[in-house]
Amino acid sequence: MRYFKVIVLLSLSITIKGKAQQTQKNWWKETVFYQIYMPSYADSNGDGYGDFKGITSKLDYLKKLGIKGIWLTPFLASPKVDNGYDVSDYYAVDPAYGTMEDFETFLNEAHKRDIKVIMDMVLNHTSTGHKWFKEASASKNNKYRDYYIWKDKPNNWESFFGGTAWEYHKETGQYYYHKFDTRMADLNWQNQEVKDEVQQILRYWLDKGIDGFRLDVINFLTTNGITKNNPEKEFQQQHIYDIDQPGVKDAMKFIKATVSEYPGRFIVGEIGSDKLEVLKQYQSEELLDVVFNFNFGSIPEFDAGKIYTELQQMEANMSSYPTLFFGSHDMPRMKDRLAGGDDKRAEALAALMLTAKGVPFIYYGEEAGMQNITADVYNEIVDIQGKTHYKLAVDAGKPKDEALIEANKHNRDKSRSPMQWNDGPFAGFSAAGSWIKLHPDYRVHNVEKLEKENHSILNSYKKLISIRNSTPALQYGIYKELSYKNNVLRFTRSYQDKQVTVIINFGVAFTANIPKEAEVLAGNTFLPQDSYLIYIQ
């Protein structure tokens, strides 16, 4: 849901040895996931919003691409202050995306194609439009009052979106806590009734057949109440007491135990941190299956050495599989941020993501070379985070043009433009309109056009995914070598009697020497800059 600043340290180490063979079979270790940002994928009815009927119509495309798992961003009923991360009804599909029957049809059709589906679940706050909050704000004595966190006098905790995390409610004379927008009130996880509600919600969707959950900012749960003021350092608040509270792990155990009532389900957690020592403590059999590794995925600019260091650190410190991704709905698109707009470098990074040890997550449109959009005027900003930073800049006395620059720095709309299916009206996303601006590049980078080009980025993604899907060493293999020298990243993964070696060259061209018995799976032994070679023996 959020975009976390990452700080990465460069290691001088060249090679590490692999850990003991991990043989436990799990479907999610064999799966390439594909994140669908619900409003932007495919609009079936011309209202400008993606919907379940639209996504269902694209399932054959995803199967052909080689996708075995879909992560859906929020689709539950919501006023969409934060594009669905503000839930107003946990048991209803938002009308913008269709009906419950549309969801059930989509899920059934995905399963027919052997595609698993996990859904985004937001458990640390609700919309202030949720019936619980409406009841809670009716009076101090209402049974739902303790579902949320109220204080007569607020402390200094800040909202992630900027400003105070407290909003005064004049009708009852108290402040309520909101870690994010004022219209997104935090739940009180000290209240057993809240836990009981959460358990019912999870079971409801598991009974529907959902294959797992992506838990939004799950370490932000307020499990130990409101404690001390956070300290300040260099004019920035240090989030010591409002995040990673001591009771968070017990809450995760409770969630995991509930999900584990249903065999074969999967939980991936978004942990609001870019520090590996924080991330790794939440990944275990009784907590989360995997966590999103923002230390790796949200590197702010390209640096092959940093990417290597993070792979090395994840291998040394993570107890199970890391996650591998370079894009999401909360960060600028990988092609712009890391590849400078170049398809070849973007493809090389995709090769890394799809062959390294971990669970890969492709962000929709990466396979079509999609790039960032930018708001040219304030009215083009949809994202609440971008709007909030614009307002804060204006309130601080900055001119509107400077406020727009500040807003675009924080604006998450960058990577949320409509999927580029063809070069027709609205890029084939919709017949009539779009809730957000299109990228003008859609006439060049679109699925229909790229499918016809043998060496397009789209067809390279298909080949890479096919190699991963058919090569157990790329699903379960340990590292026998993981090294970096002269801008060349190299690793060998071993499983049973097979070894796969991957060489990714981000430097000057060279010719690789490979064993005579090796079979080349992708690439060539001559490696120009931003190319790769994959071979098996």
Side-chain angles (χ1 to χ4, degrees):
M1 180 180 181
R2 326 296 176 210
Y3 176 39
F4 302 102
K5 182 180 179 183
V6 66
I7 299 172
V8 191
L9 299 177
L10 179 61
S11 169
L12 296 178
S13 177
I14 299 295
T15 308
I16 66 170
K17 295 297 183 182
K19 293 180 179 178
Q21 187 79 58
Q22 297 187 34
T23 56
Q24 182 178 350
K25 295 290 187 77
N26 299 99
W27 65 263
W28 46 266
K29 292 178 182 177
E30 301 171 6
T31 298
V32 176
F33 283 90
Y34 187 92
Q35 181 192 352
I36 292 179
Y37 191 66
M38 287 290 299
S40 297
Y41 202 61
D43 169 23
S44 71
N45 59 6
D47 66 356
Y49 267 88
D51 49 47
F52 276 115
K53 286 184 177 179
I55 298 173
T56 303
S57 73
K58 302 300 182 182
L59 285 172
D60 285 338
Y61 163 78
L62 293 172
K63 182 174 178 61
K64 186 177 177 182
L65 186 60
I67 298 303
K68 293 185 178 181
I70 293 173
W71 157 25
L72 296 174
T73 57
F75 59 82
L76 302 180
S78 167
K80 298 186 186 65
V81 169
D82 191 15
N83 274 321
Y85 286 94
D86 47 322
V87 178
S88 58
D89 188 342
Y90 285 102
Y91 297 98
V93 171
D94 192 280
Y97 306 129
T99 64
M100 184 64 76
E101 183 180 2
D102 293 337
F103 163 77
E104 291 169 346
T105 298
F106 157 76
L107 186 62
N108 184 50
E109 291 298 319
H111 286 165
K112 283 181 182 178
R113 292 164 175 80
D114 297 318
I115 298 174
K116 307 275 191 183
V117 179
I118 65 172
M119 64 183 286
D120 235 315
M121 185 59 71
V122 188
L123 300 176
N124 68 309
H125 58 253
T126 73
S127 166
T128 52
H130 195 288
K131 65 180 181 181
W132 299 342
F133 189 83
K134 289 179 179 179
E135 290 285 344
S137 59
S139 75
K140 292 182 179 179
N141 298 321
N142 190 282
K143 64 170 281 189
Y144 289 99
R145 185 73 171 184
D146 197 42
Y147 274 44
Y148 300 90
I149 299 162
W150 302 83
K151 292 292 180 184
D152 293 328
K153 183 179 179 181
N155 66 0
N156 76 336
W157 293 1
E158 292 177 342
S159 166
F160 194 86
F161 287 165
T164 178
W166 295 94
E167 181 73 4
Y168 185 65
H169 186 253
K170 63 181 180 180
E171 288 79 7
T172 56
Q174 284 188 312
Y175 295 82
Y176 67 86
Y177 179 59
H178 59 91
K179 184 60 186 169
F180 299 97
D181 189 77
T182 58
R183 291 158 289 182
M184 298 154 67
D186 277 49
L187 289 165
N188 176 18
W189 273 74
Q190 289 184 302
N191 184 350
Q192 182 60 44
E193 291 183 358
V194 168
K195 297 177 185 178
D196 293 341
E197 296 274 12
V198 166
Q199 191 169 57
Q200 290 181 41
I201 291 163
L202 296 174
R203 287 171 175 165
Y204 176 83
W205 290 103
L206 290 163
D207 286 338
K208 289 280 184 186
I210 206 75
D211 297 292
F213 301 98
R214 180 263 190 190
L215 301 178
D216 186 61
V217 287
I218 192 64
N219 63 320
F220 282 37
L221 295 181
T222 307
T223 56
N224 291 70
I226 304 302
T227 56
K228 302 176 184 178
N229 284 341
N230 282 324
E232 301 279 339
K233 183 178 180 182
E234 297 178 355
F235 305 106
Q236 287 192 333
Q237 188 167 123
Q238 306 299 299
H239 296 285
I240 304 299
Y241 302 113
D242 56 340
I243 301 174
D244 298 305
Q245 292 191 342
V248 164
K249 288 184 180 179
D250 287 335
M252 288 185 187
K253 290 176 183 177
F254 171 78
I255 293 168
K256 182 62 178 292
T258 301
V259 174
S260 295
E261 295 171 0
Y262 299 75
R265 301 310 202 267
F266 174 58
I267 299 180
V268 54
E270 181 194 32
I271 302 300
S273 176
D274 55 26
K275 297 178 176 60
L276 193 59
E277 61 268 23
V278 174
L279 297 173
K280 69 180 184 180
Q281 66 178 295
Y282 293 115
Q283 185 174 350
S284 72
E285 288 188 7
E286 60 180 3
L287 297 172
L288 305 173
D289 292 314
V290 298
V291 299
F292 281 126
N293 299 102
F294 286 103
N295 61 308
F296 175 82
S298 59
I299 292 172
E301 59 188 13
F302 178 75
D303 186 320
K306 289 182 179 181
I307 291 172
Y308 160 69
T309 298
E310 291 307 323
L311 285 173
Q312 184 191 55
Q313 291 300 312
M314 290 189 298
E315 172 64 9
N317 292 287
M318 300 298 285
S319 61
S320 184
Y321 276 33
T323 53
L324 302 166
F325 64 96
F326 289 118
S328 81
H329 61 292
D330 283 329
M331 64 183 71
R333 281 198 172 271
M334 177 261 276
K335 184 176 169 181
D336 284 308
R337 195 177 86 250
L338 300 179
D342 180 66
D343 277 356
K344 297 311 293 181
R345 177 159 289 180
E347 184 183 323
L349 289 166
L352 168 61
M353 178 176 67
L354 291 164
T355 57
K357 178 183 170 183
V359 182
F361 285 79
I362 296 170
Y363 184 52
Y364 85 97
E366 283 180 350
E367 78 278 15
M370 285 179 62
Q371 294 184 256
N372 292 333
I373 57 170
T374 301
D376 297 317
V377 295
Y378 172 76
N379 287 341
E380 287 184 346
I381 300 175
V382 182
D383 177 31
I384 185 61
Q385 186 166 294
K387 288 181 175 181
T388 299
H389 280 276
Y390 181 90
K391 183 178 184 299
L392 289 171
V394 170
D395 290 347
K398 290 187 176 181
K400 290 184 178 179
D401 57 342
E402 291 184 20
L404 185 62
I405 292 172
E406 186 67 22
N408 271 316
K409 288 180 182 177
H410 299 274
N411 187 6
R412 296 169 299 172
D413 292 336
K414 294 182 185 73
S415 59
R416 299 177 178 183
S417 58
M419 179 65 178
Q420 294 166 195
W421 294 105
N422 57 46
D423 63 1
F426 303 104
F429 159 74
S430 172
S434 172
W435 69 282
I436 194 171
K437 72 184 291 186
L438 287 159
H439 197 295
D441 179 59
Y442 75 88
R443 291 181 178 87
V444 176
H445 282 89
N446 65 73
V447 169
E448 186 177 277
K449 179 176 181 292
L450 295 171
E451 281 184 328
K452 298 173 183 176
E453 299 174 2
N454 289 336
H455 302 292
S456 68
I457 187 170
L458 174 59
N459 284 318
S460 294
Y461 262 86
K462 286 181 182 178
K463 183 174 183 177
L464 287 165
I465 295 170
S466 176
I467 291 169
R468 189 187 188 280
N469 286 345
S470 60
T471 310
L474 294 179
Q475 300 166 1
Y476 291 102
I478 62 171
Y479 286 125
K480 300 298 287 186
E481 176 191 8
L482 175 57
S483 64
Y484 176 72
K485 186 176 182 181
N486 297 330
N487 289 310
V488 178
L489 179 63
R490 179 186 180 112
F491 53 85
T492 297
R493 296 183 63 194
S494 174
Y495 181 70
Q496 295 179 343
D497 60 345
K498 294 293 184 180
Q499 289 193 151
V500 174
T501 296
V502 180
I503 304 171
I504 303 176
N505 180 28
F506 294 114
V508 298
F510 73 98
T511 299
N513 294 315
I514 67 173
K516 290 182 179 180
E517 68 275 14
E519 176 190 354
V520 173
L521 300 178
N524 297 288
T525 53
F526 177 70
L527 289 155
Q529 186 177 24
D530 296 323
S531 65
Y532 54 89
L533 170 65
I534 306 170
Y535 64 86
I536 188 169
Q537 60 187 117

PDB file of all heavy atoms in Angstrom, residues 22 33 117 169 177 184 194 208 210 222 266 291 295 325 334 355 384 394 418 446 452 481 488 503 532:
ATOM      1  N   GLN A  22      16.746 -27.069   0.480  1.00  0.00           N
ATOM      2  CA  GLN A  22      15.392 -26.927   0.999  1.00  0.00           C
ATOM      3  C   GLN A  22      14.461 -27.717   0.096  1.00  0.00           C
ATOM      4  O   GLN A  22      14.331 -27.407  -1.087  1.00  0.00           O
ATOM      5  CB  GLN A  22      14.986 -25.453   1.037  1.00  0.00           C
ATOM      6  CG  GLN A  22      15.867 -24.628   1.976  1.00  0.00           C
ATOM      7  CD  GLN A  22      15.340 -23.225   2.134  1.00  0.00           C
ATOM      8  OE1 GLN A  22      14.138 -23.000   2.127  1.00  0.00           O
ATOM      9  NE2 GLN A  22      16.238 -22.272   2.289  1.00  0.00           N
ATOM     10  N   PHE A  33       3.878 -14.899  -9.582  1.00  0.00           N
ATOM     11  CA  PHE A  33       2.687 -14.104  -9.292  1.00  0.00           C
ATOM     12  C   PHE A  33       2.632 -12.869 -10.186  1.00  0.00           C
ATOM     13  O   PHE A  33       3.658 -12.354 -10.643  1.00  0.00           O
ATOM     14  CB  PHE A  33       2.681 -13.655  -7.822  1.00  0.00           C
ATOM     15  CG  PHE A  33       2.291 -14.730  -6.856  1.00  0.00           C
ATOM     16  CD1 PHE A  33       3.252 -15.563  -6.295  1.00  0.00           C
ATOM     17  CD2 PHE A  33       0.968 -14.920  -6.489  1.00  0.00           C
ATOM     18  CE1 PHE A  33       2.909 -16.557  -5.397  1.00  0.00           C
ATOM     19  CE2 PHE A  33       0.609 -15.914  -5.600  1.00  0.00           C
ATOM     20  CZ  PHE A  33       1.585 -16.733  -5.042  1.00  0.00           C
ATOM     21  N   VAL A 117      -5.328 -17.462  -6.708  1.00  0.00           N
ATOM     22  CA  VAL A 117      -5.663 -16.050  -6.506  1.00  0.00           C
ATOM     23  C   VAL A 117      -5.521 -15.701  -5.032  1.00  0.00           C
ATOM     24  O   VAL A 117      -6.088 -16.375  -4.162  1.00  0.00           O
ATOM     25  CB  VAL A 117      -7.104 -15.740  -6.955  1.00  0.00           C
ATOM     26  CG1 VAL A 117      -7.424 -14.265  -6.719  1.00  0.00           C
ATOM     27  CG2 VAL A 117      -7.300 -16.105  -8.429  1.00  0.00           C
ATOM     28  N   HIS A 169     -13.056  14.665  16.948  1.00  0.00           N
ATOM     29  CA  HIS A 169     -14.448  14.347  16.646  1.00  0.00           C
ATOM     30  C   HIS A 169     -15.317  15.190  17.576  1.00  0.00           C
ATOM     31  O   HIS A 169     -15.500  14.858  18.754  1.00  0.00           O
ATOM     32  CB  HIS A 169     -14.703  12.844  16.869  1.00  0.00           C
ATOM     33  CG  HIS A 169     -16.059  12.385  16.447  1.00  0.00           C
ATOM     34  ND1 HIS A 169     -17.046  12.048  17.339  1.00  0.00           N
ATOM     35  CD2 HIS A 169     -16.599  12.217  15.205  1.00  0.00           C
ATOM     36  CE1 HIS A 169     -18.130  11.674  16.688  1.00  0.00           C
ATOM     37  NE2 HIS A 169     -17.883  11.765  15.389  1.00  0.00           N
ATOM     38  N   TYR A 177      -7.638   7.886  16.338  1.00  0.00           N
ATOM     39  CA  TYR A 177      -6.315   7.652  15.760  1.00  0.00           C
ATOM     40  C   TYR A 177      -6.439   7.153  14.325  1.00  0.00           C
ATOM     41  O   TYR A 177      -7.224   6.251  14.028  1.00  0.00           O
ATOM     42  CB  TYR A 177      -5.569   6.624  16.613  1.00  0.00           C
ATOM     43  CG  TYR A 177      -4.190   6.261  16.116  1.00  0.00           C
ATOM     44  CD1 TYR A 177      -3.200   7.225  15.976  1.00  0.00           C
ATOM     45  CD2 TYR A 177      -3.878   4.936  15.796  1.00  0.00           C
ATOM     46  CE1 TYR A 177      -1.928   6.887  15.537  1.00  0.00           C
ATOM     47  CE2 TYR A 177      -2.607   4.589  15.358  1.00  0.00           C
ATOM     48  CZ  TYR A 177      -1.640   5.569  15.229  1.00  0.00           C
ATOM     49  OH  TYR A 177      -0.388   5.222  14.784  1.00  0.00           O
ATOM     50  N   MET A 184      -9.640   7.085   7.463  1.00  0.00           N
ATOM     51  CA  MET A 184      -9.237   5.687   7.626  1.00  0.00           C
ATOM     52  C   MET A 184      -8.829   5.492   9.084  1.00  0.00           C
ATOM     53  O   MET A 184      -7.697   5.726   9.473  1.00  0.00           O
ATOM     54  CB  MET A 184      -8.083   5.361   6.675  1.00  0.00           C
ATOM     55  CG  MET A 184      -8.480   5.516   5.206  1.00  0.00           C
ATOM     56  SD  MET A 184      -7.110   5.889   4.081  1.00  0.00           S
ATOM     57  CE  MET A 184      -6.164   4.384   4.159  1.00  0.00           C
ATOM     58  N   VAL A 194     -12.701  -7.307  18.090  1.00  0.00           N
ATOM     59  CA  VAL A 194     -12.107  -6.972  16.793  1.00  0.00           C
ATOM     60  C   VAL A 194     -11.443  -8.216  16.209  1.00  0.00           C
ATOM     61  O   VAL A 194     -11.603  -8.522  15.012  1.00  0.00           O
ATOM     62  CB  VAL A 194     -11.092  -5.813  16.928  1.00  0.00           C
ATOM     63  CG1 VAL A 194     -10.257  -5.668  15.650  1.00  0.00           C
ATOM     64  CG2 VAL A 194     -11.807  -4.508  17.246  1.00  0.00           C
ATOM     65  N   LYS A 208     -14.962 -19.031   0.334  1.00  0.00           N
ATOM     66  CA  LYS A 208     -15.234 -18.708  -1.071  1.00  0.00           C
ATOM     67  C   LYS A 208     -14.245 -19.397  -2.015  1.00  0.00           C
ATOM     68  O   LYS A 208     -14.509 -19.528  -3.211  1.00  0.00           O
ATOM     69  CB  LYS A 208     -15.147 -17.201  -1.294  1.00  0.00           C
ATOM     70  CG  LYS A 208     -16.279 -16.393  -0.693  1.00  0.00           C
ATOM     71  CD  LYS A 208     -17.514 -16.432  -1.567  1.00  0.00           C
ATOM     72  CE  LYS A 208     -18.603 -15.543  -1.006  1.00  0.00           C
ATOM     73  NZ  LYS A 208     -19.880 -15.689  -1.771  1.00  0.00           N
ATOM     74  N   ILE A 210     -10.708 -18.483  -1.934  1.00  0.00           N
ATOM     75  CA  ILE A 210      -9.514 -17.668  -2.159  1.00  0.00           C
ATOM     76  C   ILE A 210      -8.289 -18.447  -1.676  1.00  0.00           C
ATOM     77  O   ILE A 210      -8.350 -19.192  -0.694  1.00  0.00           O
ATOM     78  CB  ILE A 210      -9.642 -16.303  -1.436  1.00  0.00           C
ATOM     79  CG1 ILE A 210      -8.791 -15.237  -2.111  1.00  0.00           C
ATOM     80  CG2 ILE A 210      -9.305 -16.407   0.030  1.00  0.00           C
ATOM     81  CD1 ILE A 210      -9.354 -14.723  -3.398  1.00  0.00           C
ATOM     82  N   THR A 222      -2.217  -1.744  15.681  1.00  0.00           N
ATOM     83  CA  THR A 222      -2.106  -1.146  17.020  1.00  0.00           C
ATOM     84  C   THR A 222      -2.563  -2.187  18.033  1.00  0.00           C
ATOM     85  O   THR A 222      -3.739  -2.296  18.359  1.00  0.00           O
ATOM     86  CB  THR A 222      -2.949   0.134  17.119  1.00  0.00           C
ATOM     87  OG1 THR A 222      -2.585   1.010  16.052  1.00  0.00           O
ATOM     88  CG2 THR A 222      -2.695   0.845  18.446  1.00  0.00           C
ATOM     89  N   PHE A 266      -1.863 -19.387   1.488  1.00  0.00           N
ATOM     90  CA  PHE A 266      -0.607 -18.638   1.422  1.00  0.00           C
ATOM     91  C   PHE A 266      -0.815 -17.241   1.984  1.00  0.00           C
ATOM     92  O   PHE A 266      -1.840 -16.604   1.731  1.00  0.00           O
ATOM     93  CB  PHE A 266      -0.166 -18.571  -0.045  1.00  0.00           C
ATOM     94  CG  PHE A 266       1.033 -17.711  -0.331  1.00  0.00           C
ATOM     95  CD1 PHE A 266       2.258 -17.944   0.288  1.00  0.00           C
ATOM     96  CD2 PHE A 266       0.955 -16.670  -1.252  1.00  0.00           C
ATOM     97  CE1 PHE A 266       3.369 -17.158  -0.003  1.00  0.00           C
ATOM     98  CE2 PHE A 266       2.052 -15.887  -1.559  1.00  0.00           C
ATOM     99  CZ  PHE A 266       3.267 -16.136  -0.931  1.00  0.00           C
ATOM    100  N   VAL A 291       7.505 -12.276   3.228  1.00  0.00           N
ATOM    101  CA  VAL A 291       7.270 -10.843   3.383  1.00  0.00           C
ATOM    102  C   VAL A 291       7.818 -10.139   2.143  1.00  0.00           C
ATOM    103  O   VAL A 291       8.731 -10.642   1.480  1.00  0.00           O
ATOM    104  CB  VAL A 291       7.933 -10.272   4.653  1.00  0.00           C
ATOM    105  CG1 VAL A 291       7.373 -10.933   5.885  1.00  0.00           C
ATOM    106  CG2 VAL A 291       9.459 -10.431   4.605  1.00  0.00           C
ATOM    107  N   ASN A 295      13.803  -3.893   0.955  1.00  0.00           N
ATOM    108  CA  ASN A 295      15.238  -3.623   0.853  1.00  0.00           C
ATOM    109  C   ASN A 295      15.753  -3.949  -0.540  1.00  0.00           C
ATOM    110  O   ASN A 295      16.690  -3.328  -1.043  1.00  0.00           O
ATOM    111  CB  ASN A 295      16.002  -4.445   1.896  1.00  0.00           C
ATOM    112  CG  ASN A 295      15.807  -5.950   1.700  1.00  0.00           C
ATOM    113  OD1 ASN A 295      14.677  -6.434   1.609  1.00  0.00           O
ATOM    114  ND2 ASN A 295      16.896  -6.685   1.605  1.00  0.00           N
ATOM    115  N   PHE A 325      10.794  -8.621  -6.552  1.00  0.00           N
ATOM    116  CA  PHE A 325       9.961  -7.714  -7.337  1.00  0.00           C
ATOM    117  C   PHE A 325      10.710  -6.398  -7.498  1.00  0.00           C
ATOM    118  O   PHE A 325      11.557  -6.026  -6.686  1.00  0.00           O
ATOM    119  CB  PHE A 325       8.608  -7.465  -6.659  1.00  0.00           C
ATOM    120  CG  PHE A 325       8.711  -6.759  -5.330  1.00  0.00           C
ATOM    121  CD1 PHE A 325       8.551  -5.390  -5.244  1.00  0.00           C
ATOM    122  CD2 PHE A 325       8.979  -7.458  -4.162  1.00  0.00           C
ATOM    123  CE1 PHE A 325       8.656  -4.729  -4.023  1.00  0.00           C
ATOM    124  CE2 PHE A 325       9.090  -6.813  -2.937  1.00  0.00           C
ATOM    125  CZ  PHE A 325       8.925  -5.443  -2.864  1.00  0.00           C
ATOM    126  N   MET A 334       9.314   0.079 -12.729  1.00  0.00           N
ATOM    127  CA  MET A 334      10.678  -0.441 -12.795  1.00  0.00           C
ATOM    128  C   MET A 334      11.415   0.060 -14.031  1.00  0.00           C
ATOM    129  O   MET A 334      12.598   0.418 -13.973  1.00  0.00           O
ATOM    130  CB  MET A 334      10.637  -1.971 -12.776  1.00  0.00           C
ATOM    131  CG  MET A 334      11.991  -2.641 -12.904  1.00  0.00           C
ATOM    132  SD  MET A 334      12.349  -3.202 -14.584  1.00  0.00           S
ATOM    133  CE  MET A 334      11.512  -4.789 -14.562  1.00  0.00           C
ATOM    134  N   THR A 355      14.726 -15.713 -12.053  1.00  0.00           N
ATOM    135  CA  THR A 355      15.650 -16.844 -11.902  1.00  0.00           C
ATOM    136  C   THR A 355      16.343 -16.899 -10.542  1.00  0.00           C
ATOM    137  O   THR A 355      16.852 -17.951 -10.170  1.00  0.00           O
ATOM    138  CB  THR A 355      16.734 -16.814 -13.001  1.00  0.00           C
ATOM    139  OG1 THR A 355      17.430 -15.568 -12.950  1.00  0.00           O
ATOM    140  CG2 THR A 355      16.130 -17.000 -14.379  1.00  0.00           C
ATOM    141  N   ILE A 384      -4.367   9.991  -3.036  1.00  0.00           N
ATOM    142  CA  ILE A 384      -4.531  10.796  -1.819  1.00  0.00           C
ATOM    143  C   ILE A 384      -3.186  11.233  -1.258  1.00  0.00           C
ATOM    144  O   ILE A 384      -3.055  12.335  -0.699  1.00  0.00           O
ATOM    145  CB  ILE A 384      -5.358  10.014  -0.754  1.00  0.00           C
ATOM    146  CG1 ILE A 384      -5.634  10.889   0.476  1.00  0.00           C
ATOM    147  CG2 ILE A 384      -4.657   8.734  -0.355  1.00  0.00           C
ATOM    148  CD1 ILE A 384      -6.432  12.125   0.194  1.00  0.00           C
ATOM    149  N   VAL A 394       1.366  23.795  -0.318  1.00  0.00           N
ATOM    150  CA  VAL A 394       0.654  25.074  -0.468  1.00  0.00           C
ATOM    151  C   VAL A 394       0.472  25.741   0.895  1.00  0.00           C
ATOM    152  O   VAL A 394       0.683  26.953   1.054  1.00  0.00           O
ATOM    153  CB  VAL A 394      -0.700  24.862  -1.170  1.00  0.00           C
ATOM    154  CG1 VAL A 394      -1.548  26.144  -1.106  1.00  0.00           C
ATOM    155  CG2 VAL A 394      -0.481  24.450  -2.621  1.00  0.00           C
ATOM    156  N   PRO A 418      -3.743   2.879 -17.043  1.00  0.00           N
ATOM    157  CA  PRO A 418      -4.421   1.692 -17.587  1.00  0.00           C
ATOM    158  C   PRO A 418      -3.492   0.758 -18.342  1.00  0.00           C
ATOM    159  O   PRO A 418      -2.559   1.187 -19.027  1.00  0.00           O
ATOM    160  CB  PRO A 418      -5.468   2.294 -18.530  1.00  0.00           C
ATOM    161  CG  PRO A 418      -5.741   3.643 -17.971  1.00  0.00           C
ATOM    162  CD  PRO A 418      -4.423   4.124 -17.443  1.00  0.00           C
ATOM    163  N   ASN A 446       2.242  -1.887 -26.468  1.00  0.00           N
ATOM    164  CA  ASN A 446       0.959  -2.493 -26.146  1.00  0.00           C
ATOM    165  C   ASN A 446       1.021  -3.988 -26.468  1.00  0.00           C
ATOM    166  O   ASN A 446       1.825  -4.434 -27.287  1.00  0.00           O
ATOM    167  CB  ASN A 446      -0.191  -1.806 -26.875  1.00  0.00           C
ATOM    168  CG  ASN A 446      -0.131  -1.963 -28.381  1.00  0.00           C
ATOM    169  OD1 ASN A 446      -0.392  -3.042 -28.916  1.00  0.00           O
ATOM    170  ND2 ASN A 446       0.223  -0.889 -29.086  1.00  0.00           N
ATOM    171  N   LYS A 452       3.454  -9.646 -31.619  1.00  0.00           N
ATOM    172  CA  LYS A 452       3.839  -9.940 -33.003  1.00  0.00           C
ATOM    173  C   LYS A 452       5.336  -9.762 -33.251  1.00  0.00           C
ATOM    174  O   LYS A 452       5.818 -10.110 -34.328  1.00  0.00           O
ATOM    175  CB  LYS A 452       3.048  -9.044 -33.957  1.00  0.00           C
ATOM    176  CG  LYS A 452       1.543  -9.257 -33.884  1.00  0.00           C
ATOM    177  CD  LYS A 452       0.805  -8.223 -34.721  1.00  0.00           C
ATOM    178  CE  LYS A 452      -0.702  -8.377 -34.587  1.00  0.00           C
ATOM    179  NZ  LYS A 452      -1.433  -7.315 -35.333  1.00  0.00           N
ATOM    180  N   GLU A 481      26.646 -20.693  -6.024  1.00  0.00           N
ATOM    181  CA  GLU A 481      27.493 -19.517  -6.211  1.00  0.00           C
ATOM    182  C   GLU A 481      26.585 -18.306  -6.341  1.00  0.00           C
ATOM    183  O   GLU A 481      25.502 -18.379  -6.923  1.00  0.00           O
ATOM    184  CB  GLU A 481      28.348 -19.639  -7.481  1.00  0.00           C
ATOM    185  CG  GLU A 481      29.179 -18.385  -7.773  1.00  0.00           C
ATOM    186  CD  GLU A 481      29.821 -18.383  -9.143  1.00  0.00           C
ATOM    187  OE1 GLU A 481      29.508 -19.282  -9.940  1.00  0.00           O
ATOM    188  OE2 GLU A 481      30.604 -17.462  -9.412  1.00  0.00           O
ATOM    189  N   VAL A 488      29.068  -7.592 -13.541  1.00  0.00           N
ATOM    190  CA  VAL A 488      28.459  -8.850 -13.970  1.00  0.00           C
ATOM    191  C   VAL A 488      27.955  -9.595 -12.734  1.00  0.00           C
ATOM    192  O   VAL A 488      28.728  -9.886 -11.816  1.00  0.00           O
ATOM    193  CB  VAL A 488      29.451  -9.733 -14.742  1.00  0.00           C
ATOM    194  CG1 VAL A 488      28.796 -11.058 -15.123  1.00  0.00           C
ATOM    195  CG2 VAL A 488      29.952  -9.006 -15.984  1.00  0.00           C
ATOM    196  N   ILE A 503      23.913 -15.611 -15.852  1.00  0.00           N
ATOM    197  CA  ILE A 503      24.886 -14.524 -15.949  1.00  0.00           C
ATOM    198  C   ILE A 503      24.162 -13.305 -16.499  1.00  0.00           C
ATOM    199  O   ILE A 503      23.559 -13.369 -17.584  1.00  0.00           O
ATOM    200  CB  ILE A 503      26.062 -14.895 -16.881  1.00  0.00           C
ATOM    201  CG1 ILE A 503      26.736 -16.191 -16.412  1.00  0.00           C
ATOM    202  CG2 ILE A 503      27.080 -13.760 -16.944  1.00  0.00           C
ATOM    203  CD1 ILE A 503      27.769 -16.731 -17.411  1.00  0.00           C
ATOM    204  N   TYR A 532      21.743 -11.223 -20.872  1.00  0.00           N
ATOM    205  CA  TYR A 532      21.842 -12.318 -19.912  1.00  0.00           C
ATOM    206  C   TYR A 532      22.000 -13.638 -20.641  1.00  0.00           C
ATOM    207  O   TYR A 532      21.665 -13.787 -21.822  1.00  0.00           O
ATOM    208  CB  TYR A 532      20.604 -12.351 -19.011  1.00  0.00           C
ATOM    209  CG  TYR A 532      19.301 -12.413 -19.751  1.00  0.00           C
ATOM    210  CD1 TYR A 532      18.724 -13.632 -20.108  1.00  0.00           C
ATOM    211  CD2 TYR A 532      18.634 -11.246 -20.119  1.00  0.00           C
ATOM    212  CE1 TYR A 532      17.524 -13.689 -20.795  1.00  0.00           C
ATOM    213  CE2 TYR A 532      17.438 -11.283 -20.810  1.00  0.00           C
ATOM    214  CZ  TYR A 532      16.883 -12.512 -21.148  1.00  0.00           C
ATOM    215  OH  TYR A 532      15.709 -12.562 -21.843  1.00  0.00           O
TER     216      TYR A 532
END
